[in-house]
């Protein structure tokens, strides 16, 4: 090999070795600890799988119930449970889509950063090569021939060997960076495909939810058509509501005693939803069924749908957040001993027992679960352990009965 060729080789080694390892920023070293990971997505998928199994069991139960036409209320309860599951599935799928969105955004940003780093390193390499060529600097060849002794020569060889080792590390890191870019691009394509699949699943779930809601309304309509059966259901509902109301008062007073807060300030309520259209007042009301129950323990607020927020009419602590075949999904907030507000027939609940809610904070979304023939919010107020008329305080209502 000629001296000129060896000099060129040493020149390239010197330039590459001058690219310090600290200037490289491989993706694996800069991951954000709070970033969305594939494990987060896999966990959501597992939860959805469990929901699907539970829904299959409910569908089997519903087929069994449908064979007995006298069990309309049981049908409605089963459908409500399926609606609750669908709502949970939809929430999970929406979270899955959101996580994919975050993962895709992160991956795209990481790919851009890595490609920019590659471009910077390449440009730096080119600049140094041009600079060394212009200066005609080739120093390592002279090191070998200027050695005064064999010992000096060995030292010089060790120095060049270190340069070559460093060169190999730089090349390996650059190669690893390129592999990471390719892997991230493949991961990005997978995430985009799975996100699209999740979006299609969401559309299907929402369609299924609408079908279930229509089925629930149909069951209640058929139940109302059977006057004797409907009167019996309403009578059972009244008795159950009285028992539940006693439990609500007990829980409210128990919480107040536990917190050492027995002083109650009544009043100060706001509307529990955006609508002020009252379709049914407290007490006597027309049910459409001759001789049926007229014992209405609250007010019904109409002109709401399946997306209207139900909010806390007053600040307090949630003492009940549950499903009941009569009340449907319902939430009860305690505002002190014997002072509560109740929100019924919700399509979904946003709070759990023990949660402190500020006035105006969302407690759920209105709907038609339980003994309810259309979307509305049933709202109750208890003061000193007694049901009172909410319209005593909410005076700016629109009469719809």
């Amino acid at each position: 090999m000629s001296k000129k060729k060896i000099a060129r080789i040493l020149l390239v080694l010197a330039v590459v070795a001058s690219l310090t390892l600290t200037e490289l920023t491989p993706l694996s070293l800069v991951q954000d600890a709070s970033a969305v990971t594939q494990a987060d997505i896999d966990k959501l998928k597992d939860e959805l799988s469990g929901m699907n199994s539970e829904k299959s069991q409910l569908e089997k139960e519903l087929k069994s119930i449908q064979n007995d036409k006298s069990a309309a209320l049981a049908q409605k309860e089963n459908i409500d449970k399926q609606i609750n599951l669908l709502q949970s599935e939809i929430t999970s799928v929406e979270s899955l889509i959101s996580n994919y969105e975050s993962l895709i955004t992160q991956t795209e940003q990481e790919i851009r950063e890595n490609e920019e780093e590659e471009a910077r390193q390449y440009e730096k390499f080119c600049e140094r090569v041009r600079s060394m060529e212009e200066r005609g600097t080739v120093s390592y060849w002279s090191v070998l021939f200027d050695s005064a002794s064999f010992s000096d020569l060995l030292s010089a060889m060790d120095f060049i060997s270190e340069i070559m080792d460093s060169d190999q590390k730089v090349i390996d890191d650059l190669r690893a960076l390129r592999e990471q870019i390719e892997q991230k691009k493949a991961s990005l394509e997978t995430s985009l495909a799975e996100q699209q699949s999740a979006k299609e699943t969401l559309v299907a779930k929402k369609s299924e939810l609408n079908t279930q809601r229509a089925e629930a309304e149909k069951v209640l309509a058929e139940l109302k058509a059977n006057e004797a059966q409907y009167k019996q259901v309403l009578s059972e509902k009244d008795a159950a509501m009285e028992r539940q109301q006693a439990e609500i008062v007990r829980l409210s007073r128990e919480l107040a005693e536990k917190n050492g807060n027995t002083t109650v300030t009544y009043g100060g309520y706001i509307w529990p939803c955006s609508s002020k259209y009252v379709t049914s007042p407290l007490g006597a009301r027309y049910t459409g069924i001759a001789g049926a129950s007229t014992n209405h323990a609250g007010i019904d607020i109409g002109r709401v749908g399946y997306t209207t927020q139900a909010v806390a009419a007053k600040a307090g602590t949630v003492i009940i957040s549950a499903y009941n075949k009569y009340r449907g999904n319902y939430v009860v907030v305690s505002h002190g001993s014997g002072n509560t507000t109740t929100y019924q027939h919700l399509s979904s609940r946003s709070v759990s027992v023990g949660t402190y809610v500020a006035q105006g904070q969302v407690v759920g979304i209105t709907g038609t679960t339980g003994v309810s023939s259309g979307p509305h919010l049933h709202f109750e107020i208890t003061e000193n352990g007694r049901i009172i008329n909410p319209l005593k305080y909410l005076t700016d209502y629109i009469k719809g009965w």
Side-chain angles (χ1 to χ4, degrees):
M1 185 181 294
S2 67
K3 293 181 179 180
K4 185 175 181 181
K5 194 168 185 179
I6 292 173
R8 288 183 179 276
I9 293 171
L10 289 172
L11 171 62
V12 173
L13 286 174
V15 173
V16 175
S18 66
L19 298 175
T20 64
L21 296 180
T22 56
E23 291 170 332
L24 293 174
T25 53
L27 181 63
S28 59
L29 301 178
V30 295
Q31 287 284 11
D32 181 358
S34 63
V36 174
T37 65
Q38 188 62 41
D40 296 326
I41 290 173
D42 291 341
K43 183 179 178 182
L44 277 171
K45 287 181 178 178
D46 289 341
E47 289 175 359
L48 280 168
S49 178
M51 290 176 192
N52 284 330
S53 298
E54 188 176 348
K55 189 170 68 176
S56 296
Q57 180 60 34
L58 284 170
E59 287 171 351
K60 290 179 182 177
E61 292 175 8
L62 181 59
K63 288 179 180 178
S64 174
I65 294 169
Q66 285 173 333
N67 293 329
D68 181 2
K69 293 300 180 182
S70 65
L73 191 59
Q75 287 185 46
K76 179 62 165 62
E77 183 179 8
N78 181 284
I79 293 171
D80 280 349
K81 288 179 180 178
Q82 293 194 55
I83 287 173
N84 287 342
L85 268 175
L86 276 169
Q87 289 281 9
S88 297
E89 286 183 308
I90 286 170
T91 300
S92 292
V93 173
E94 287 174 338
S95 296
L96 189 63
I97 290 170
S98 177
N99 279 2
Y100 273 126
E101 186 68 34
S102 298
L103 188 61
I104 288 166
T105 300
Q106 289 168 202
T107 304
E108 289 174 336
Q109 177 63 23
E110 289 162 358
I111 289 172
R112 282 194 297 272
E113 289 174 356
N114 284 349
E115 289 180 335
E116 288 169 2
E117 182 64 23
E118 267 196 326
R120 283 194 297 271
Q121 294 295 343
Y122 178 74
E123 180 59 29
K124 196 167 185 178
F125 176 83
C126 291
E127 287 176 0
R128 293 192 181 188
V129 168
R130 284 194 295 269
S131 175
M132 294 183 77
E133 285 179 346
E134 289 171 0
R135 293 198 306 268
T137 307
V138 183
S139 59
Y140 301 118
W141 180 252
S142 61
V143 169
L144 293 174
F145 288 92
D146 289 345
S147 301
S149 66
F150 185 67
S151 178
D152 289 344
L153 179 60
L154 289 179
S155 296
M157 289 295 291
D158 289 340
F159 175 63
I160 293 174
S161 177
E162 287 174 7
I163 293 173
M164 295 180 69
D165 289 342
S166 177
D167 165 49
Q168 188 59 49
K169 183 67 170 65
V170 171
I171 292 172
D172 290 345
D173 282 349
L174 286 172
R175 184 180 293 114
L177 188 60
R178 169 45 50 184
E179 289 175 357
Q180 284 183 348
I181 292 173
E182 295 305 320
Q183 289 171 2
K184 283 295 176 183
K185 285 184 176 180
S187 174
L188 178 61
E189 291 301 318
T190 300
S191 295
L192 286 168
E194 291 185 354
Q195 185 193 44
Q196 182 58 36
S197 176
K199 287 180 177 179
E200 292 169 1
T201 298
L202 182 62
V203 171
K205 294 292 181 187
K206 287 184 175 180
S207 175
E208 186 179 355
L209 179 61
N210 290 334
T211 300
Q212 292 285 23
R213 284 172 174 164
E215 183 64 24
E217 291 185 10
K218 179 182 176 183
V219 168
L220 259 294
E222 291 175 351
L223 180 61
K224 280 189 174 183
N226 185 335
E227 291 190 16
Q229 187 181 2
Y230 192 58
K231 283 162 63 176
Q232 181 182 350
V233 167
L234 291 180
S235 177
E236 291 172 354
K237 176 185 176 183
D238 290 344
M241 296 279 272
E242 287 180 13
R243 292 192 300 271
Q244 291 159 6
Q245 185 58 39
E247 178 65 7
I248 287 171
V249 172
R250 186 191 70 78
L251 289 171
S252 175
R253 287 178 171 161
E254 183 181 279
L255 178 65
E257 289 175 6
K258 180 181 177 181
N259 294 337
N261 178 24
T262 55
T263 302
V264 184
T265 302
Y266 298 126
Y269 308 97
I270 63 172
W271 278 90
C273 62
S274 56
S275 174
K276 297 183 179 180
Y277 185 75
V278 179
T279 59
S280 183
L282 179 80
R285 63 170 176 172
Y286 178 62
T287 63
I289 305 296
S293 168
T294 57
N295 181 22
H296 195 215
I299 61 171
D300 287 344
I301 304 173
R303 293 180 178 172
V304 298
Y306 295 107
T307 59
T308 306
Q309 295 179 334
V311 302
K314 189 177 179 179
T317 301
V318 177
I319 55 175
I320 296 178
S321 178
Y323 173 83
N324 175 278
K325 67 179 178 180
Y326 298 112
R327 296 177 184 261
N329 287 310
Y330 75 113
V331 171
V332 181
V333 180
S334 175
H335 314 287
S337 182
N339 181 203
T340 63
T341 51
T342 302
Y343 315 78
Q344 293 180 187
H345 308 306
L346 303 172
S347 61
S348 63
R349 294 172 276 119
S350 306
V351 292
S352 56
V353 173
T355 303
Y356 178 83
V357 291
Q359 186 177 56
Q361 182 175 333
V362 177
V363 297
I365 304 297
T366 60
T368 184
T369 55
V371 179
S372 166
S373 55
H376 73 282
L377 177 64
H378 174 92
F379 177 63
E380 298 176 7
I381 297 177
T382 299
E383 289 186 350
N384 196 27
R386 296 181 181 179
I387 291 287
I388 68 155
N389 187 357
L391 299 183
K392 172 184 176 181
Y393 298 105
L394 308 178
T395 55
D396 54 338
Y397 62 91
I398 300 170
K399 185 176 180 179
W401 73 90

